[in-house]
Amino acid sequence: MKLKNDFRYNKYMIIIGLLYLFFLYLSFSIDISVITFRDFLFSLNHDSEEAMKIRKVILYLRLPRVIEASVVGASLALSGSIMQTVLSNNLASPFTLGISSASGFGAALAIIVGKTFLEGKFAVIGNAFIFSFLSTMFIYIIIAKSGSSKKTIILAGISINYLFSSLNTLLQHFSSPEAVYEVSFWTTGSLARSKYNDILILLGVLLFSIIITIMFVNDASNIMNNEIDAKSLGINTTFVRIVLLGVASLTAAATVSFVGIIGFVGLVSPHICRLLKFKNPKQLIPMSMLLGALLLVFSDFISRRIISPTILPIGAITSLIGVPFFLLLIVRINKNEK
């Protein structure tokens, strides 16, 4: 049985990986400009002004964008799959629990007011992380006090979403037009400012989060299967949950700080994995990350091509894709509860 499951897992990972590479190639090769991948290969062997222009377009506009889309998609999927596992709720994600809104408010506070917990280039991401972690802990406290029902968790997330959305609106009301424009970048989500330095930071956060997740994935699996048995094995369930929720908050905050609020990737990716019958965190989390990278690269490609040369906000595209899955998930949960 285990061999059959492993074979299915490897098969789907290969299929998802091939789809990811296909859309990665399309996204890298096709843009609002007429430069093709063949032009890029041709430019590598020439030093003309035209060849240098082609290399700059590919290496400093398209390539950072597709890499950042991959890293951000994987990060959001990692965050969502961790939250769903730790909270035992398939509706949990940085977007649905209001954590993205809290991160956005932290970023806006740093931009508009200048009130930050860290200094320098990490001021925005530091603020985003602090507020996302506080909102996560708020949800965890509510669960500990009133139970972990799906309705309790989602209602808590909705309340956080409204709270920080309102605070963000108030901040913008008393700020300059330039600051409002800057903050609007975070509320819609965009990959337009992709830079290699930002990608390195995001990649560092993702690798750190993966390492911590690997360290606790066995404990998470035991907690998910049976919390009482997990405690009997000596697992500190509260500590494991807080650590993993901290990791989920960090990855969500990092993505919001650099690309803004991009919804539903963290919700949809783990849900698709469960539809494929992969529920164990050891399989769910890696497959969700690959799916997340695929979904965001695909969404970015659609956002640039659907009404080219106009580039649509990628957050709007992911929401259009995610809403039907979200409604389907609600219907499935209601059927299971009856």
Side-chain angles (χ1 to χ4, degrees):
M1 187 68 179
K2 185 179 183 299
L3 288 174
K4 185 178 180 180
N5 183 65
D6 289 343
F7 175 78
R8 285 182 63 253
Y9 174 74
N10 292 331
K11 180 182 74 173
Y12 281 114
M13 286 291 281
I14 291 171
I15 292 171
I16 295 167
L18 290 174
L19 284 172
Y20 165 69
L21 291 175
F22 173 70
F23 282 106
L24 196 70
Y25 171 77
L26 286 182
S27 188
F28 182 75
S29 304
I30 303 173
D31 208 328
I32 56 176
S33 61
V34 294
I35 298 171
T36 64
F37 187 67
R38 182 179 295 180
D39 294 331
F40 173 63
L41 294 178
F42 177 79
S43 72
L44 295 177
N45 298 319
H46 295 79
D47 293 323
S48 65
E49 185 177 341
E50 185 67 21
M52 292 177 64
K53 180 182 177 182
I54 291 172
R55 286 199 296 270
K56 284 182 178 179
V57 169
I58 296 295
L59 295 176
Y60 295 100
L61 292 178
R62 294 189 192 176
L63 187 59
R65 190 175 184 114
V66 296
I67 294 175
E68 189 168 68
S70 301
V71 175
V72 169
S75 298
L76 290 171
L78 173 65
S79 181
S81 56
I82 287 174
M83 288 180 181
Q84 291 179 18
T85 298
V86 171
L87 299 176
S88 300
N89 191 319
N90 294 348
L91 294 175
S93 76
F95 189 74
T96 55
L97 296 185
I99 293 167
S100 293
S101 294
S103 298
F105 173 75
L109 197 65
I111 294 167
I112 296 175
V113 184
K115 299 294 183 182
T116 62
F117 292 95
L118 298 177
E119 299 297 330
K121 62 188 299 184
F122 295 106
V124 176
I125 190 174
N127 262 31
F129 171 69
I130 293 295
F131 279 92
S132 67
F133 187 72
L134 288 174
S135 64
T136 306
M137 288 300 100
F138 174 72
I139 290 173
Y140 186 69
I141 291 170
I142 289 177
I143 293 169
K145 296 292 184 182
S146 59
S148 57
S149 71
K150 293 178 175 61
K151 290 181 180 179
T152 299
I153 295 172
I154 297 305
L155 287 174
I158 290 172
S159 66
I160 290 174
N161 221 327
Y162 275 112
L163 171 64
F164 286 106
S165 293
S166 301
L167 291 174
N168 210 336
T169 301
L170 288 174
L171 270 181
Q172 293 181 54
H173 182 73
F174 293 103
S175 61
S176 65
E178 293 80 9
V180 171
Y181 176 79
E182 188 74 13
V183 172
S184 69
F185 167 80
W186 270 268
T187 60
T188 56
S190 174
L191 299 172
R193 302 182 182 181
S194 303
K195 297 177 182 177
Y196 287 114
N197 289 339
D198 295 346
I199 292 169
L200 286 175
I201 296 173
L202 284 169
L203 189 58
V205 171
L206 177 60
L207 291 175
F208 172 78
S209 301
I210 290 172
I211 291 170
I212 300 299
T213 303
I214 290 172
M215 291 171 60
F216 290 94
V217 71
N218 287 327
D219 293 342
S221 298
N222 289 320
I223 293 171
M224 186 187 75
N225 292 329
N226 192 310
E227 186 166 348
I228 295 175
D229 290 345
K231 289 180 178 179
S232 67
L233 293 172
I235 298 172
N236 188 334
T237 57
T238 301
F239 177 74
V240 171
R241 281 196 170 100
I242 290 175
V243 169
L244 289 177
L245 287 174
V247 167
S249 298
L250 177 62
T251 52
T255 59
V256 169
S257 300
F258 289 107
V259 301
I261 298 173
I262 297 177
F264 287 106
V265 174
L267 173 72
V268 170
S269 301
H271 179 50
I272 293 175
C273 294
R274 290 189 178 88
L275 289 176
L276 297 174
K277 309 299 182 184
F278 297 108
K279 298 181 180 180
N280 190 310
K282 293 180 182 179
Q283 295 179 331
L284 175 71
I285 293 174
M287 185 178 284
S288 295
M289 291 175 62
L290 186 56
L291 266 170
L294 167 61
L295 284 172
L296 206 57
V297 168
F298 170 73
S299 298
D300 180 51
F301 175 73
I302 296 298
S303 72
R304 287 184 286 138
R305 296 302 301 168
I306 192 168
I307 54 172
S308 180
T310 301
I311 300 176
L312 300 175
I314 192 170
I317 301 298
T318 57
S319 295
L320 287 173
I321 295 172
V323 165
F325 279 96
F326 186 64
L327 295 175
L328 174 64
L329 185 55
I330 292 173
V331 171
R332 284 170 58 87
I333 288 173
N334 286 336
K335 284 182 178 179
N336 292 333
E337 287 180 348
K338 288 180 180 179

